[in-house]
Amino acid sequence: MTTHEAREPAPTTVDPTPPDVPRHRHASELLRDAAAHPPPGPFRAQWWRSPVRGPWLTSYFGSILLVGIPVMFLTGLVSYASYDPQLAGNDTTPGKGILGFYLFSWVTNPSWIYRISQGTHVILGLTLVPIVLAKLWSVIPKLFEWPGVRSLAHGLERLSLLLVVGGAVFEFATGIADIEYYYPWKFDFYEAHLYGAWVFMVGFVVHVCLKLPTMWRSLQRYSLREIFTTPLARTRPESGDGHGLVASRPSPPTISRRGVLGLVGASAGAVFLLTAGGTVRALRPLALLSPRARSKGSGPHPEANDFEVNRVFAATGIAASETGEGWHLVLSGPRSVSLSRAELLDMPLATEVLPIACVEGWSTVQTWTGVRLVDLARLAGVDHAVEVEVESLEKPGQPFRSATLGSNQAGDPQTLLALHVNGEDISLDHGYPARMIVPAAPGVHCTKWVSELRFLT
Ligand SMILES: Nc1nc2c(c(=O)[nH]1)N[C@H]1C(S)=C(S)[C@@H](COP(=O)(O)O)O[C@H]1N2
Ligand SMILES: [Mo]
């Protein structure tokens, strides 16, 4: 009697395989074993006890992000296109070849287009932060799922989750750091935020494809009406779900679902109010999260110049004497011309109401007076629209010291070399003696302290 089939069956309470007997074990068995013995703490399902966590709540936040994230992505792509990175000198992003597949000459009309798209990108991005955090909170037990990978399919799902969560954290952190002027990293913001967006979107699309049916089903569990009529006292955990979100040992509720929605909604609303002043002038006094919105007018005409300043004159390293009587604008084209400020003011002047809209999300509409770029082109011997390199007094190497305008921008009759704003001289902070104002262009292409215009014929 040596075959083990013939042995006495072992009592069920005893492990039939003593630990010292080597025995081939299937991967599935190992996994079951691992699942039965997770490390302590958050890796154990019982550790997560919130009674409001569940598929409905996760799906509710998810449905907001399902709309919000694509808007972020599209306005981000628009933002990249608006830089006209295909024009020499505007962009050094390596390998943009593939990512730049959709680029086109940035438009000049309507003049408010970038104001709206970039304002949306930044204000919506900040407003979504509480919702992203709430969504992450609602799925946090999944991030500690044990074992981390159960099968190939499960592994791919987890990988997409890593891309979504990691990508979201990365994109929000770099975006916010950039607009709040606290950017502690060594890598370039534009490149990192652009590449990060594509990585994030790969994860996002996979995640949405995998979860959309679940989301749809889970949303049917409660109507919003039910949520808003259920007080704390009648708040119950969702029924078990097989998604690992509902607590197996829920603690008594301390907040209702409508309370959670109210808290997250109020946080998002507060962030919106503290940010929107960068675009909506009436909210400017509240714009605590939009730092530029709090800069004041300076120079001899502070009222006319009282709007957001990106780079102040004092930060440029330009000597005050370079902007005085000796300043001349150089036009380089078929003819080379040098013009003093007085000579520019003697030319036919045009007045246009146009925005400055920064990539940081703030924007402001002002009334500018100056010489049309098309008139300056004609002086330089150029009678058709060509690309123009705009140089400033700032020293080589300074970021944004120059920009290349597309021929459509240079040929637009609204494009000005502005000398006045709101009827007074432009202040040093806003670009005295002269600055570019280009309809619909991002602020960074409205070069201040202009010294030379090179018409690329
Ligand atoms: N020479 C020069 N021009 C510049 C900049 C700069 O740093 N140097 N910053 C640009 C950016 S990013 C913006 S948003 C606008 C802001 O103009 P403002 O400070 O007059 O509002 O100026 C642009 N022109
Ligand atoms: Mo800007």
Side-chain angles (χ1 to χ4, degrees), residues 77-108 194 387-389 403-409 442 445 456:
L77 292 185
V78 165
S79 189
Y80 186 55
S82 76
Y83 272 70
D84 277 317
Q86 72 281 13
L87 299 180
N90 282 354
D91 184 56
T92 52
T93 309
K96 66 161 177 271
I98 325 167
L99 300 188
F101 69 92
Y102 69 97
L103 293 175
F104 51 94
S105 287
W106 181 241
V107 299
T108 55
L194 174 72
E387 289 171 19
V388 182
E389 275 175 11
T404 305
L405 300 178
S407 54
N408 62 325
Q409 293 172 313
H445 285 181
L456 306 179

Side-chain angles (χ1 to χ4, degrees), residues 83 190 292 310 356-360 362 400 442-444:
Y83 272 70
Y190 295 91
R292 304 270 198 229
N310 186 315
I356 293 187
C358 184
V359 66
E360 295 159 6
W362 60 264
F400 316 137
V444 66

